[in-house]
Amino acid sequence: MGAEMPSALFPTHKRVDLSFERGEGAYLFGSDGQKYLDFFSGIAVTGLGHAHPHLVATACRYADRVWHISNNFRIPEQERLAERLAAHSFADNVYFCSTGLEAAEGAIKMARRAQYTAGSPDKVNIITVQGAFHGRSLAGLAATNNAQYLEGFGPRTPGFSQVPFNDLKALEAALGADTAAVMLEPIQGEGGIRRTPLDYLRAVRALCDRTGTLLIFDEVQCGMGRSGRLFAYEWSNIAPDIMMLAKGLGGGFVIGAILATKEISACMVPGTHGSTFGGNPFATAIANAVLDIMIEPSFLAHVRDMSTLLRAGLANLVKKYGHVFSEVRGVGLLVGLKCCIPNNQCVAAAREMGLLTHVAGDNVLRLMPPLIVEPTHISEALEMLDAVAMRVSEETASA
Ligand SMILES: *Cc1c(COP(=O)(O)O)cnc(C)c1O
């Protein structure tokens, strides 16, 4: 590693000099001949692990059917997926797209359009929360409001403002006659695995109801079983008006979705929005297969059990290596370990031991194991993290 990698690609991504030949469940097999325990899951995407037999069988079954037809025709797999997502959520209707970025863009348009249709065309502003991540479209960047991501891309798209995390007073003060919606992540992923307190979520819902403001939840990262519920908002006993999904929805195949109430969807008449690829037969067939597994009665209880095990083990590491790790965060299997040394150093050391993890904001090491993880995988990961802490302690002591 370290040597410049020759490539015709854009230099947009900082890549590790490693690729993978095969995946099986929680493991990946690298081109370097090493076996890796995958607690990265392609950024919370491969929730059922690699090469899950039901997903592979579905992909094979659909490979010689109609791959693509566009939304100019009916797509039975898409209709079925929409019905099932609606049946398992607050939503009445579902719009399909391909990525989280598109889901955010569409959700923002829907909120504005719903206000417009309701006779409030001046309600256009979207309020987001500090530490948010809503994708890299121009609107998504304005919503995210990270100066580093905005630099050099011209004027920040108007119609967005931001308030501090978990600060109800600030939100109340920011709500105005021009506010269309509040948009937030029930669990901030990129921002550092920060759970939005449930009391705050309930208070925001009440505030939105009182002021005719719409509530949008970005569950692109924390949805699809990751939190130990199918959707993270379920922990709060309130529901948004609009919700975005992507990452885990296709188990590794490209698909995103916007779920909404019928009041919202009724505004999105022909011509208001669209996508060539969104909800194509292949993508929705795979997402239906993901859902088959996730709605099995014991699936989410398993996620919660594995979460308890992982978090307890991590809490022990914090106790044992307080100078390396300072705090365990997160819900379900979206877990963060706040580091006292640079998080990327811990991620690199873990990878050298054979454990794939990721960084997150606020100097957090992010753990996103596949939701099918077993206790043996968790023990294995904890052992490697213990060894990481030991090694970096020795290095800092000798430095
Ligand atoms: C990843 C992510 C997005 C953007 O999704 P892409 O598919 O990368 O465009 C949006 N919101 C949240 C919360 C995310 O984690």
Side-chain angles (χ1 to χ4, degrees):
M1 271 162 245
E4 194 95 345
M5 287 176 271
S7 175
L9 296 170
F10 265 52
T12 41
H13 293 81
K14 232 189 257 168
R15 294 169 205 272
V16 175
D17 188 7
L18 175 63
S19 62
F20 301 96
E21 280 159 4
R22 196 161 64 78
E24 197 184 309
Y27 292 102
L28 277 168
F29 298 86
S31 47
D32 57 354
Q34 294 296 309
K35 182 179 175 183
Y36 291 89
L37 181 58
D38 185 11
F39 274 35
F40 178 86
S41 299
I43 320 187
V45 168
T46 48
L48 301 183
H50 300 282
H52 190 288
H54 185 51
L55 301 196
V56 173
T58 304
C60 292
R61 201 147 38 82
Y62 277 84
D64 62 0
R65 295 196 192 177
V66 179
W67 277 27
H68 181 79
I69 188 69
S70 95
N71 287 298
N72 290 33
F73 297 91
R74 287 184 70 168
I75 301 174
E77 297 81 3
Q78 184 186 128
E79 291 176 17
R80 176 160 181 260
L81 182 60
E83 269 163 31
R84 297 172 84 200
L85 287 172
H88 286 92
S89 73
F90 72 94
D92 301 303
N93 299 94
V94 184
Y95 173 88
F96 289 105
C97 54
S98 304
T99 66
L101 173 156
E102 272 183 273
E105 191 81 10
I108 292 162
K109 281 182 67 178
M110 286 173 193
R112 288 184 176 167
R113 186 75 185 192
Q115 296 289 9
Y116 169 88
T117 307
S120 306
D122 297 332
K123 288 186 181 246
V124 294
N125 199 48
I126 311 288
I127 301 178
T128 64
V129 170
Q130 275 171 15
F133 184 74
H134 300 298
R136 291 179 182 268
S137 70
L138 289 169
L141 289 176
T144 296
N145 197 34
N146 179 326
Q148 198 192 327
Y149 297 165
L150 283 160
E151 187 185 343
F153 298 110
R156 182 170 175 263
T157 302
F160 295 87
S161 55
Q162 200 165 62
V163 293
F165 183 79
N166 189 29
D167 186 338
L168 196 64
K169 286 248 151 57
L171 179 61
E172 261 181 300
L175 275 173
D178 65 341
T179 307
V182 174
M183 178 158 90
L184 55 86
E185 296 154 84
I187 308 161
Q188 285 191 348
E190 304 303 312
I193 317 298
R194 292 201 295 178
R195 183 183 205 167
T196 308
L198 301 177
D199 284 347
Y200 175 85
L201 290 181
R202 289 189 274 264
V204 173
R205 177 73 269 178
L207 187 60
C208 286
D209 288 343
R210 225 169 40 240
T211 53
T213 307
L214 294 167
L215 183 56
I216 307 173
F217 282 170
D218 182 344
E219 294 219 15
V220 167
Q221 187 158 161
C222 64
M224 296 312 291
R226 198 41 59 196
S227 76
R229 299 284 189 99
L230 190 55
F231 305 114
Y233 79 82
E234 292 173 47
W235 290 104
S236 67
N237 296 319
I238 55 101
D241 301 292
I242 304 173
M243 178 172 77
M244 297 111 82
L245 296 175
K247 292 189 166 87
L249 182 58
F253 200 81
V254 180
I255 181 168
I258 306 168
L259 279 65
T261 61
K262 54 184 180 300
E263 290 75 21
I264 304 285
S265 61
C267 308
M268 301 304 288
V269 295
T272 53
H273 202 49
S275 162
T276 299
F277 285 113
N280 94 357
F282 200 86
T284 46
I286 304 283
N288 269 313
V290 170
L291 206 54
D292 290 341
I293 306 290
M294 289 196 180
I295 62 178
E296 278 175 11
S298 60
F299 185 85
L300 295 168
H302 175 78
V303 174
R304 295 192 290 269
D305 289 346
M306 294 306 104
S307 172
T308 305
L309 209 57
L310 176 62
R311 292 163 50 89
L314 294 174
N316 280 337
L317 290 181
V318 169
K319 248 187 248 151
K320 193 167 163 192
Y321 302 103
H323 53 295
V324 183
F325 303 128
S326 64
E327 188 194 340
V328 182
R329 296 179 177 184
V331 188
L333 290 174
L334 184 56
V335 175
L337 193 53
K338 189 161 163 64
C339 301
C340 312
I341 61 165
N343 55 0
N344 56 1
Q345 227 170 291
C346 293
V347 168
R351 188 174 58 244
E352 280 163 32
M353 309 246 170
L355 176 67
L356 300 182
T357 63
H358 196 26
V359 294
D362 207 17
N363 204 34
V364 162
L365 178 138
R366 183 166 23 162
L367 297 155
M368 301 162 282
L371 309 181
I372 47 102
V373 80
E374 291 294 334
T376 51
H377 301 126
I378 292 185
S379 313
E380 207 184 320
L382 290 168
E383 274 166 36
M384 286 192 267
L385 287 172
D386 190 297
V388 165
M390 196 118 75
R391 206 179 88 187
V392 297
S393 324
E394 281 163 11
E395 281 169 8
T396 8
S398 65

